[in-house]
């Protein structure tokens, strides 16, 4: 499990073993795509900031999230 601060609230998420080619049992990863799946936000129009910097959609599949990261997730809502 990894703990992240999401929109000001601490939350824990399951992680996958790292694909580093090592046998280090402690090496785990979580990417933004997996995070969004766990939160039920896949397919939504969103913007994500990690530790004060916007995460480009092109990096959502990279294992860039780490224990204690602070995320702000904004979901676009349409309407008229």
């Amino acid at each position: 499990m990894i703990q992240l601060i999401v929109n000001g609230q601490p939350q824990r998420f399951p992680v996958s073993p790292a694909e580093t080619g090592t046998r280090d049992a402690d090496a785990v990863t979580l990417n933004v795509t997996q995070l969004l799946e766990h939160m039920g936000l896949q397919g939504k129009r969103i913007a994500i900031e990690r530790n004060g910097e916007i995460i480009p959609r092109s990096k959502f599949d990279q294992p860039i999230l780490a224990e204690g990261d602070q995320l702000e997730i904004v979901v676009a809502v349409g309407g008229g």
Side-chain angles (χ1 to χ4, degrees):
M1 297 290 275
I2 186 172
Q3 181 166 314
L4 304 170
I5 309 299
V6 180
N7 295 344
Q9 299 296 316
Q11 296 186 36
R12 297 187 66 75
F13 298 94
V15 292
S16 303
E19 296 178 11
T20 60
T22 66
R23 293 180 182 223
D24 183 359
D26 295 328
V28 293
T29 63
L30 181 69
N31 63 41
V32 174
T33 300
Q34 293 166 327
L35 174 69
L36 296 176
E37 289 172 4
H38 291 303
M39 297 181 72
L41 296 174
Q42 69 274 20
K44 305 262 185 188
R45 296 184 56 174
I46 62 163
I48 301 179
E49 180 182 275
R50 173 183 167 251
N51 301 329
E53 294 186 22
I54 298 292
I55 301 174
R57 195 168 291 274
S58 63
K59 292 192 176 186
F60 279 15
D61 288 334
Q62 296 178 11
I64 60 174
L65 300 177
E67 180 78 23
D69 277 350
Q70 295 189 24
L71 305 173
E72 292 295 323
I73 300 176
V74 178
V75 180
V77 178

